[in-house]
Amino acid sequence: MKEMDAVRITVEKNEYAKDGVHKGMYGWICLEQRVQNYWLVNFPQCGEKDDIATISIHEDDMEVVPIMHAIVNEQIKAQFGD
């Protein structure tokens, strides 16, 4: 993984959910370095809406994807009522 990679969360964890981030959400890696296997990841919404969160995600809990789909983030967010 590297800075600017698009990623998708592959697990549901309370430590991420408390910040509104859930399995299936898309984000992008914000910094070029990781800290103890954690990467800083931003989870956007569409258009001018505020981002869902920018939090540290363990590299085993996400996968690199070719395209980020912010609309999916909004759909998942709505399911959880966040």
Side-chain angles (χ1 to χ4, degrees), residues 37-52:
N37 296 324
Y38 281 82
W39 296 86
L40 188 63
V41 180
N42 175 268
F43 296 89
Q45 296 189 84
C46 295
E48 298 298 316
K49 295 177 186 170
D50 290 339
D51 295 337
I52 294 168

Side-chain angles (χ1 to χ4, degrees), residues 1-10 27-35 37-41 57-65:
M1 292 181 195
K2 63 186 183 311
E3 184 177 16
M4 300 300 294
D5 274 353
V7 295
R8 180 175 49 222
I9 301 301
T10 58
W28 60 277
I29 296 177
C30 303
L31 297 175
E32 62 183 68
Q33 74 275 4
R34 64 183 175 185
V35 177
N37 296 324
Y38 281 82
W39 296 86
L40 188 63
V41 180
I57 303 289
H58 194 278
E59 63 188 4
D60 291 342
D61 296 341
M62 59 185 168
E63 63 186 354
V64 175
V65 293

Side-chain angles (χ1 to χ4, degrees), residues 17-29:
K18 68 180 175 139
D19 291 306
V21 174
H22 302 280
K23 181 179 179 181
M25 285 189 166
Y26 290 84
W28 60 277
I29 296 177

